[in-house]
Amino acid sequence: MYGLGILRGMAVTAKHFIETYIDDIKWMSRGGRYYNDEALSVRQSLKGTGAITVNYPEEKLPTPERFRFVPFLVTDDPPPGQMWGHDWCTSCGICAKVCPPQCIWIVRGKLPNGRPKPEPEEFYIDIDICMNCGYCSEFCPFDAIKMDHDYELASYDRTSAHIHDKARLSKPLSYWRELAPQKSAAEEAARELKASTKGKRRSNDDDTPQPTLSEEHQQDLYYQGAYY
Amino acid sequence: MTIEVVADHDAPVIYTDPVESASAKLKESFGEVLAEDSRDGYEGFVVEAESLPEVAAYLRDECGFNYLSSVTGVDLIDENKLEVVYHTYSIDQGGGAVVLKVQVDRDNPEVPSLTPMWAGANFQEREAYDMYGIRFTGHPDLRRILMWDGFEGFPMRKDWQEPFFEEANKPFGSRWPGGDVIRAEEKNPFGKNVQYPAGWVPDNIDFDVDTEIYEGVTVTPQATPGLKTDKVIVNMGPQHPSTHGVFRMVVTLDGETIVKLDPVMGYLHRNHEKIGERNTFIQNIPYTDRLDYLSSMSNNHGYVLAIEQMLGSEVPERAEWIRILMVELTRMVNHFWALGFLLNDMGALQTPMLYLYIERELILDFFEAAAGSRMMCNYMRFGGVAYDLPTHVRDQETMSFLEELVYERLPASLEEFGRLVTNNEIMRARTIGVGYLSPEDAINMSAAGPLLRASGVPYDVRRAEPYSYYESLDFDVAVRYNGDIYDRYLIRLDEIYESMRIVRQVLPYLKETKGGSIISGKPQYAIRLPRGGEAYGRVENPKGELGYYVTGQRRASNPDRYHVRAPSFINLTTLGPMSIGHKVADIVAILGSIDIVLGEIDR
């Protein structure tokens, strides 16, 4: 029959329409359709039926650990009364060299006697150019630069606000642990492993197996931790 | 019974590989005008410019290499020469490419055009003219294609420098350890950032842009006999919702019927290839994400395959399975988008598109958990992938997420989508028989991907020249025979089902190889080529054959030439011929059925 295809299609639309409202009503009684993390996590998943719109900015989807947006610098947890602690960055320059759009500028620190100091004097990232590729954190040998999850960086002034300096970039280690608990734990394990095997010569007749990272930790790291 | 083997030295050699047999035939017939490319790491034949059409015609008609995939210019500045590289494939026999090269003097580069033979060369030759200044004699419409009319210079030549030129190659020296924080715009502030050619006074310009497009569409007052009507030229775009970006079609209309259609592109041009030549090899991977931003995983895949050929790196088993998983999910994502927008363009506003988006969203969630970004994945590396699979996707264990996705969720929702649209009478009326492309034309115009296969040509790079583990996977090459919009719609649905089949086969291997290595060797950020040469990596992108042509010298950290054979760009060749004779409203549907992405067209 001519027009049957259209009617069938309409039935599908009606089904979605009804499902959406059933879902809305169902979650209304369980903490509300809006501002309800549990509802969001179910309705956005494979189990979700009907259609849902996440009402950004009131509602936000959680970001996974590997999410990457504009980098930040990791420092030690700050001593009381200070904003941040000792820089992990040694100003080795790998991030500046590998950065595809070349948005990182580093001024290497100098000791009074003129020799290089393993700490950056200045560190700038032009976030207008940054393409969020994550190479800097991927190839940093000291875990000193990490990708942030804060994606709300719009501002009225492009010329000054979008060049992040060292003060703006530095964030304490506790912030990173909060952001990516699994990944930061894996990184700590990898660093410890590296420190424990460092300096020990491997002999060929040594049968004791080399200590390796656990599988869960490997899964959380870039290249399964092969870069450490 | 024993068979006595008698060595017969005069017997003709029988080649099983089509490339070998074609090469032998070419050498035999054209020995005096072509020579094998003798440079280390290079392949193919260097042909004398005058005999190119003859050799190409022989290759097409006698050897069966009837598909001109890629045409590109190369600047050999040290030898003061420009080179044009042609990659031809055989649709019937599959296999690798016969590569023809023409080298001409850099100061007076003239090459006979292959457009009269292969319509698919049209845009690519225009691009080579635009970027390198190579003049193709006999080309019907040799204009700039990506740069604007009146642009001075040829940007891909090695001695051409952009206004904010810093250094020939990255990494730039100023970034470390001095930290010279100067933005390009501060070096050359607004108002002073225009460069004029020497002796050129901007006030006395007598220059009208786009004159050449409108040439040949002379208005005839008596287009329809008996009626006093004019032909009308309509500019559709560059700002038009149905062009999927900034893309312009200059349409000549007789009443509402299309007489001629000329695509105009380049509004999003950023010279991806020049950027690629400035970049180091690894820096290019995130840039390839931005080509066809809907299928960034596939873009990564083609590029890493090309560079792996040059590096000679092995890929661990688990990494290969992860790559196939990602690439096939990308194909689904891309087709969800393509189908949704095709319907959107035809007036089924939002509803079907958003239903597919719900499914697309789930896959993007997985990409986000695996790679850290939904669309700009930057996931593949030379010799493997960056990350292992994530432990969880949206609080669900990854493998169970993927299984539920391809066994339960997607089949159900696709079946529902079929009910929603496939038999809809309005949709059928608007698409069946509209935008017909014959198989001969499709091959001749170098169409690729679903566009080619919907015209009844079962050509798929995954089968024709298998890469990765595709040879061992069980899937069919989807093919439809009517060559109209409806078939292009159906074939995308077919391909989603085939991709689902592949993903189902990949999942057990992923479980089996859990904990296996995902990258070969220690990851490096500064990669240098062990040997010089060229590589052409091609993959079956959701939109068609995506190829990367890369050349580099030994110990180099940057490519000398980096070219992208963009499927959307070349598929657009078919837009004009397909549209002729249809109504204005059909253009939108025809364009939607090609499935273009401007990031890839304009590069």
PDB file of all heavy atoms in Angstrom, chain A residues 153-174:
ATOM      1  N   LEU A 153      37.541  27.182  28.661  1.00  0.00           N
ATOM      2  CA  LEU A 153      38.618  28.162  28.704  1.00  0.00           C
ATOM      3  C   LEU A 153      38.288  29.427  27.915  1.00  0.00           C
ATOM      4  O   LEU A 153      39.162  30.224  27.650  1.00  0.00           O
ATOM      5  CB  LEU A 153      39.902  27.540  28.140  1.00  0.00           C
ATOM      6  CG  LEU A 153      40.514  26.406  28.965  1.00  0.00           C
ATOM      7  CD1 LEU A 153      41.666  25.789  28.214  1.00  0.00           C
ATOM      8  CD2 LEU A 153      40.990  26.906  30.309  1.00  0.00           C
ATOM      9  N   ALA A 154      37.038  29.572  27.532  1.00  0.00           N
ATOM     10  CA  ALA A 154      36.690  30.747  26.738  1.00  0.00           C
ATOM     11  C   ALA A 154      36.894  32.013  27.558  1.00  0.00           C
ATOM     12  O   ALA A 154      36.707  32.015  28.772  1.00  0.00           O
ATOM     13  CB  ALA A 154      35.246  30.658  26.288  1.00  0.00           C
ATOM     14  N   SER A 155      37.317  33.061  26.885  1.00  0.00           N
ATOM     15  CA  SER A 155      37.493  34.316  27.603  1.00  0.00           C
ATOM     16  C   SER A 155      37.254  35.460  26.633  1.00  0.00           C
ATOM     17  O   SER A 155      37.159  35.255  25.435  1.00  0.00           O
ATOM     18  CB  SER A 155      38.898  34.411  28.196  1.00  0.00           C
ATOM     19  OG  SER A 155      39.805  34.655  27.155  1.00  0.00           O
ATOM     20  N   TYR A 156      37.162  36.658  27.186  1.00  0.00           N
ATOM     21  CA  TYR A 156      36.894  37.809  26.334  1.00  0.00           C
ATOM     22  C   TYR A 156      38.154  38.352  25.693  1.00  0.00           C
ATOM     23  O   TYR A 156      38.106  39.092  24.744  1.00  0.00           O
ATOM     24  CB  TYR A 156      36.203  38.915  27.137  1.00  0.00           C
ATOM     25  CG  TYR A 156      34.770  38.576  27.457  1.00  0.00           C
ATOM     26  CD1 TYR A 156      34.395  38.168  28.729  1.00  0.00           C
ATOM     27  CD2 TYR A 156      33.790  38.645  26.464  1.00  0.00           C
ATOM     28  CE1 TYR A 156      33.084  37.835  29.011  1.00  0.00           C
ATOM     29  CE2 TYR A 156      32.484  38.318  26.750  1.00  0.00           C
ATOM     30  CZ  TYR A 156      32.139  37.915  28.018  1.00  0.00           C
ATOM     31  OH  TYR A 156      30.844  37.584  28.280  1.00  0.00           O
ATOM     32  N   ASP A 157      39.291  38.017  26.264  1.00  0.00           N
ATOM     33  CA  ASP A 157      40.526  38.619  25.771  1.00  0.00           C
ATOM     34  C   ASP A 157      41.479  37.543  25.285  1.00  0.00           C
ATOM     35  O   ASP A 157      42.012  36.768  26.065  1.00  0.00           O
ATOM     36  CB  ASP A 157      41.182  39.432  26.893  1.00  0.00           C
ATOM     37  CG  ASP A 157      42.470  40.044  26.422  1.00  0.00           C
ATOM     38  OD1 ASP A 157      42.614  40.221  25.194  1.00  0.00           O
ATOM     39  OD2 ASP A 157      43.335  40.324  27.268  1.00  0.00           O
ATOM     40  N   ARG A 158      41.673  37.532  23.994  1.00  0.00           N
ATOM     41  CA  ARG A 158      42.490  36.496  23.406  1.00  0.00           C
ATOM     42  C   ARG A 158      43.982  36.785  23.568  1.00  0.00           C
ATOM     43  O   ARG A 158      44.777  35.890  23.796  1.00  0.00           O
ATOM     44  CB  ARG A 158      42.143  36.434  21.915  1.00  0.00           C
ATOM     45  CG  ARG A 158      42.819  35.385  21.121  1.00  0.00           C
ATOM     46  CD  ARG A 158      42.241  35.395  19.729  1.00  0.00           C
ATOM     47  NE  ARG A 158      42.819  36.462  18.936  1.00  0.00           N
ATOM     48  CZ  ARG A 158      43.948  36.331  18.241  1.00  0.00           C
ATOM     49  NH1 ARG A 158      44.580  35.202  18.252  1.00  0.00           N
ATOM     50  NH2 ARG A 158      44.428  37.329  17.546  1.00  0.00           N
ATOM     51  N   THR A 159      44.333  38.060  23.491  1.00  0.00           N
ATOM     52  CA  THR A 159      45.753  38.382  23.375  1.00  0.00           C
ATOM     53  C   THR A 159      46.538  38.079  24.640  1.00  0.00           C
ATOM     54  O   THR A 159      47.672  37.643  24.576  1.00  0.00           O
ATOM     55  CB  THR A 159      45.951  39.864  23.006  1.00  0.00           C
ATOM     56  OG1 THR A 159      45.107  40.635  23.849  1.00  0.00           O
ATOM     57  CG2 THR A 159      45.619  40.100  21.563  1.00  0.00           C
ATOM     58  N   SER A 160      45.924  38.296  25.811  1.00  0.00           N
ATOM     59  CA  SER A 160      46.700  38.024  27.023  1.00  0.00           C
ATOM     60  C   SER A 160      46.228  36.762  27.719  1.00  0.00           C
ATOM     61  O   SER A 160      47.031  35.955  28.170  1.00  0.00           O
ATOM     62  CB  SER A 160      46.628  39.215  27.977  1.00  0.00           C
ATOM     63  OG  SER A 160      45.273  39.474  28.267  1.00  0.00           O
ATOM     64  N   ALA A 161      44.908  36.552  27.761  1.00  0.00           N
ATOM     65  CA  ALA A 161      44.388  35.442  28.569  1.00  0.00           C
ATOM     66  C   ALA A 161      44.715  34.078  27.970  1.00  0.00           C
ATOM     67  O   ALA A 161      44.698  33.086  28.670  1.00  0.00           O
ATOM     68  CB  ALA A 161      42.879  35.586  28.727  1.00  0.00           C
ATOM     69  N   HIS A 162      45.007  34.039  26.699  1.00  0.00           N
ATOM     70  CA  HIS A 162      45.206  32.729  26.080  1.00  0.00           C
ATOM     71  C   HIS A 162      46.658  32.291  25.986  1.00  0.00           C
ATOM     72  O   HIS A 162      46.952  31.283  25.388  1.00  0.00           O
ATOM     73  CB  HIS A 162      44.538  32.688  24.706  1.00  0.00           C
ATOM     74  CG  HIS A 162      43.055  32.597  24.815  1.00  0.00           C
ATOM     75  ND1 HIS A 162      42.246  32.368  23.741  1.00  0.00           N
ATOM     76  CD2 HIS A 162      42.239  32.691  25.884  1.00  0.00           C
ATOM     77  CE1 HIS A 162      40.993  32.331  24.139  1.00  0.00           C
ATOM     78  NE2 HIS A 162      40.954  32.537  25.427  1.00  0.00           N
ATOM     79  N   ILE A 163      47.565  33.093  26.526  1.00  0.00           N
ATOM     80  CA  ILE A 163      48.919  32.583  26.653  1.00  0.00           C
ATOM     81  C   ILE A 163      49.115  32.245  28.126  1.00  0.00           C
ATOM     82  O   ILE A 163      49.171  33.123  28.979  1.00  0.00           O
ATOM     83  CB  ILE A 163      49.970  33.605  26.162  1.00  0.00           C
ATOM     84  CG1 ILE A 163      49.797  33.809  24.659  1.00  0.00           C
ATOM     85  CG2 ILE A 163      51.369  33.106  26.461  1.00  0.00           C
ATOM     86  CD1 ILE A 163      50.856  34.628  24.014  1.00  0.00           C
ATOM     87  N   HIS A 164      49.129  30.976  28.423  1.00  0.00           N
ATOM     88  CA  HIS A 164      49.233  30.563  29.818  1.00  0.00           C
ATOM     89  C   HIS A 164      50.695  30.577  30.253  1.00  0.00           C
ATOM     90  O   HIS A 164      51.542  29.970  29.603  1.00  0.00           O
ATOM     91  CB  HIS A 164      48.656  29.161  29.996  1.00  0.00           C
ATOM     92  CG  HIS A 164      47.175  29.111  29.927  1.00  0.00           C
ATOM     93  ND1 HIS A 164      46.445  27.992  30.179  1.00  0.00           N
ATOM     94  CD2 HIS A 164      46.260  30.079  29.635  1.00  0.00           C
ATOM     95  CE1 HIS A 164      45.166  28.251  30.050  1.00  0.00           C
ATOM     96  NE2 HIS A 164      45.021  29.503  29.708  1.00  0.00           N
ATOM     97  N   ASP A 165      50.966  31.252  31.349  1.00  0.00           N
ATOM     98  CA  ASP A 165      52.343  31.279  31.836  1.00  0.00           C
ATOM     99  C   ASP A 165      52.514  30.230  32.928  1.00  0.00           C
ATOM    100  O   ASP A 165      51.593  29.464  33.227  1.00  0.00           O
ATOM    101  CB  ASP A 165      52.720  32.672  32.331  1.00  0.00           C
ATOM    102  CG  ASP A 165      51.820  33.118  33.456  1.00  0.00           C
ATOM    103  OD1 ASP A 165      50.933  32.335  33.838  1.00  0.00           O
ATOM    104  OD2 ASP A 165      51.999  34.242  33.944  1.00  0.00           O
ATOM    105  N   LYS A 166      53.681  30.178  33.513  1.00  0.00           N
ATOM    106  CA  LYS A 166      54.004  29.106  34.448  1.00  0.00           C
ATOM    107  C   LYS A 166      53.076  29.125  35.664  1.00  0.00           C
ATOM    108  O   LYS A 166      52.651  28.081  36.152  1.00  0.00           O
ATOM    109  CB  LYS A 166      55.463  29.247  34.890  1.00  0.00           C
ATOM    110  CG  LYS A 166      56.067  27.948  35.349  1.00  0.00           C
ATOM    111  CD  LYS A 166      57.532  28.142  35.657  1.00  0.00           C
ATOM    112  CE  LYS A 166      57.864  27.505  36.984  1.00  0.00           C
ATOM    113  NZ  LYS A 166      59.173  27.896  37.464  1.00  0.00           N
ATOM    114  N   ALA A 167      52.727  30.332  36.118  1.00  0.00           N
ATOM    115  CA  ALA A 167      51.851  30.414  37.286  1.00  0.00           C
ATOM    116  C   ALA A 167      50.488  29.810  36.974  1.00  0.00           C
ATOM    117  O   ALA A 167      49.892  29.108  37.790  1.00  0.00           O
ATOM    118  CB  ALA A 167      51.706  31.878  37.704  1.00  0.00           C
ATOM    119  N   ARG A 168      50.003  30.083  35.790  1.00  0.00           N
ATOM    120  CA  ARG A 168      48.694  29.567  35.404  1.00  0.00           C
ATOM    121  C   ARG A 168      48.746  28.064  35.137  1.00  0.00           C
ATOM    122  O   ARG A 168      47.781  27.333  35.385  1.00  0.00           O
ATOM    123  CB  ARG A 168      48.235  30.332  34.154  1.00  0.00           C
ATOM    124  CG  ARG A 168      47.002  29.788  33.460  1.00  0.00           C
ATOM    125  CD  ARG A 168      45.739  30.273  34.127  1.00  0.00           C
ATOM    126  NE  ARG A 168      44.601  29.421  33.815  1.00  0.00           N
ATOM    127  CZ  ARG A 168      43.668  29.729  32.937  1.00  0.00           C
ATOM    128  NH1 ARG A 168      43.710  30.868  32.301  1.00  0.00           N
ATOM    129  NH2 ARG A 168      42.665  28.905  32.690  1.00  0.00           N
ATOM    130  N   LEU A 169      49.868  27.608  34.620  1.00  0.00           N
ATOM    131  CA  LEU A 169      49.960  26.210  34.217  1.00  0.00           C
ATOM    132  C   LEU A 169      50.207  25.265  35.384  1.00  0.00           C
ATOM    133  O   LEU A 169      49.807  24.109  35.348  1.00  0.00           O
ATOM    134  CB  LEU A 169      51.096  26.028  33.199  1.00  0.00           C
ATOM    135  CG  LEU A 169      50.868  26.578  31.803  1.00  0.00           C
ATOM    136  CD1 LEU A 169      52.169  26.551  31.025  1.00  0.00           C
ATOM    137  CD2 LEU A 169      49.815  25.791  31.068  1.00  0.00           C
ATOM    138  N   SER A 170      50.909  25.738  36.414  1.00  0.00           N
ATOM    139  CA  SER A 170      51.332  24.834  37.481  1.00  0.00           C
ATOM    140  C   SER A 170      50.155  24.401  38.336  1.00  0.00           C
ATOM    141  O   SER A 170      49.341  25.224  38.760  1.00  0.00           O
ATOM    142  CB  SER A 170      52.360  25.535  38.371  1.00  0.00           C
ATOM    143  OG  SER A 170      53.508  25.796  37.619  1.00  0.00           O
ATOM    144  N   LYS A 171      50.081  23.096  38.555  1.00  0.00           N
ATOM    145  CA  LYS A 171      49.043  22.566  39.430  1.00  0.00           C
ATOM    146  C   LYS A 171      49.667  21.468  40.277  1.00  0.00           C
ATOM    147  O   LYS A 171      50.521  20.727  39.792  1.00  0.00           O
ATOM    148  CB  LYS A 171      47.873  22.025  38.615  1.00  0.00           C
ATOM    149  CG  LYS A 171      47.014  23.151  38.085  1.00  0.00           C
ATOM    150  CD  LYS A 171      45.925  22.732  37.170  1.00  0.00           C
ATOM    151  CE  LYS A 171      45.204  23.981  36.680  1.00  0.00           C
ATOM    152  NZ  LYS A 171      44.214  23.701  35.657  1.00  0.00           N
ATOM    153  N   PRO A 172      49.235  21.353  41.530  1.00  0.00           N
ATOM    154  CA  PRO A 172      49.888  20.363  42.406  1.00  0.00           C
ATOM    155  C   PRO A 172      49.536  18.932  42.007  1.00  0.00           C
ATOM    156  O   PRO A 172      48.544  18.680  41.330  1.00  0.00           O
ATOM    157  CB  PRO A 172      49.337  20.701  43.790  1.00  0.00           C
ATOM    158  CG  PRO A 172      48.082  21.439  43.545  1.00  0.00           C
ATOM    159  CD  PRO A 172      48.243  22.159  42.241  1.00  0.00           C
ATOM    160  N   LEU A 173      50.359  18.015  42.465  1.00  0.00           N
ATOM    161  CA  LEU A 173      50.184  16.602  42.144  1.00  0.00           C
ATOM    162  C   LEU A 173      48.815  16.092  42.599  1.00  0.00           C
ATOM    163  O   LEU A 173      48.198  15.270  41.919  1.00  0.00           O
ATOM    164  CB  LEU A 173      51.304  15.796  42.803  1.00  0.00           C
ATOM    165  CG  LEU A 173      51.258  14.282  42.654  1.00  0.00           C
ATOM    166  CD1 LEU A 173      51.383  13.900  41.197  1.00  0.00           C
ATOM    167  CD2 LEU A 173      52.367  13.642  43.457  1.00  0.00           C
ATOM    168  N   SER A 174      48.344  16.627  43.724  1.00  0.00           N
ATOM    169  CA  SER A 174      47.056  16.142  44.234  1.00  0.00           C
ATOM    170  C   SER A 174      45.931  16.391  43.226  1.00  0.00           C
ATOM    171  O   SER A 174      44.989  15.607  43.120  1.00  0.00           O
ATOM    172  CB  SER A 174      46.730  16.828  45.557  1.00  0.00           C
ATOM    173  OG  SER A 174      46.829  18.227  45.401  1.00  0.00           O
TER     174      SER A 174
END
